[in-house]
Amino acid sequence: MRILIKNGTVIDTSPSVTVSERTDVLIDGERIEAVGPRLSSDDCAEVVDATGMLVLPGFVDSHRHTWQASYRAIVADDDLETYFRVVLGELAPAVTPEAARAANLAGARECLDSGVTTLLDWTHLTRTPEHTDALVEALQASGIRAVLGYCPTPEDTDARRARDAHVGGLLTMAIAALGPEIVGEEQALAEWRLARELDLPVSVHLGITSAERTRSTMEFLQANGLFDRPITHIHAIHYSDDDFKRVADTGGSVSVSPAGEQILGMGHPPTGRAAAAGAPVSFSADTVTCGPGDMFSLMRAAYALERGRGNGAFTTRDVLRMATIDGARTVGLGDVTGSLTPGKQADLILLRTDTPGMSGLQDPVGGVVLNADTSTVDTVLVAGRFRKREGRLL
């Protein structure tokens, strides 16, 4: 149906971050038809009064282990080694398909509640067809736009079926590769072969151990021609400036976890250095077993940490782009979502400015990054359909 969102303060992110007062957004079916002042409401099934609200693209989380919503804060004060041992070594193998579905649904709804409209679900649970189907059913039931980050086992035989059976509509797919730093070079090569066979991008944890190991990893990727696939480099803590330049030159992207990387002791998020190289940089909640699950917390953490390093050129506008359009580019959906460009999918959110924490707002972009929170998310639409309205998940 046609929906007119009327008289809001519209924040768009492409080609640059702009703020337009008293502006309307016209939605026709799944897509944005027009953005501008005083648009006609003729033939609109619904008119939403956005007076006093901020209207902006939905957030994009480029790497989240969504199933871990069932184990929130279980390793809140621990390190990366404990996370691997407890969450991946002990808990993950015991998750049944039914439990996987419930956890993924809870995690996806958590995303929508906080204004995340697109999610790369980097899952460890695609070990059986039943698990994979359950995970996808949950994503579809939630109504979120999702990329299934399919993590293959060494003997995987189900990835092609999963792609052919599930990709379409709001769901796309990527290979969630454990990569050479976690499972070694032989299995990493198998992960990339599968990505080539299925013509899928790769999302992989790299640069998480040491600078020496990272140098070896980059040499391995180069020597084996693995930069031929679009790669999202998750964390990239120990990448050099030259490494980030190689990422940019090969069409790659970077996903940083501003809270989780600090909490688990991995190191300082390389947000500013990666962006300076020209690669799309995006934000990731990673895991709620030891960190927050809302984009507002991630944006604030990234901004504070980068400014704390003395990067005074890093602005709230940079942060908002990373949370929206650059996130969409990271997950391969830059032509689909991430901005309010007419023709794109109508994935957008409305934030209230009449809450105590948002009252007196002078800079709308600064307010989104530094002051808003989940309680200010009034309305969420994905592909033109309401997923949250008047502060309530539907």
Side-chain angles (χ1 to χ4, degrees), residues 20 30 57 63-64 67 76 81 89 115-116 145 170 173 197-198 202 215 250 295 302 311 317 338 344 374:
S20 304
E30 297 182 351
H63 154 241
R64 179 186 297 237
W67 68 273
E81 181 180 351
V116 173
R145 187 179 305 282
L170 296 178
M173 186 167 158
E197 290 172 9
L198 301 183
V202 174
R215 284 194 297 272
T250 56
M295 187 60 68
N311 186 358
R317 280 165 165 73
K344 281 192 173 184
T374 297

Side-chain angles (χ1 to χ4, degrees), residues 178-334:
L178 291 169
E181 292 186 30
I182 296 176
V183 294
E185 294 182 357
E186 183 177 349
Q187 187 172 333
L189 289 173
E191 292 171 331
W192 257 263
R193 281 197 299 271
L194 182 61
R196 289 192 186 106
E197 290 172 9
L198 301 183
D199 193 25
L200 295 175
V202 174
S203 178
V204 57
H205 298 71
L206 295 172
I208 60 176
T209 51
S210 68
E212 182 179 1
R213 185 66 186 274
T214 296
R215 284 194 297 272
S216 174
T217 296
M218 297 301 279
E219 291 170 1
F220 166 77
L221 297 177
Q222 182 69 30
N224 289 278
L226 304 188
F227 285 108
D228 68 329
R229 305 302 310 160
I231 302 174
T232 295
H233 301 247
I234 301 170
H235 302 311
I237 296 290
H238 297 286
Y239 278 29
S240 67
D241 291 347
D242 287 342
D243 292 334
F244 284 123
K245 184 66 165 58
R246 180 177 291 178
V247 171
D249 290 345
T250 56
S253 57
V254 179
S255 174
V256 298
S257 305
E261 288 159 5
Q262 294 281 283
I263 292 167
L264 290 175
M266 283 188 270
H268 199 293
T271 314
R273 291 195 301 115
V281 179
S282 59
F283 297 136
S284 139
D286 196 347
T287 173
V288 297
T289 62
C290 60
D294 66 286
M295 187 60 68
F296 302 105
S297 296
L298 305 180
M299 289 192 291
R300 276 192 278 279
Y303 182 73
L305 288 166
E306 196 61 31
R307 298 280 288 197
R309 298 185 73 178
N311 186 358
F314 191 68
T315 69
T316 53
R317 280 165 165 73
D318 296 325
V319 172
L320 186 61
R321 282 180 57 84
M322 292 174 181
T324 54
I325 184 61
D326 285 345
R329 290 169 176 157
T330 297
V331 301
L333 296 173

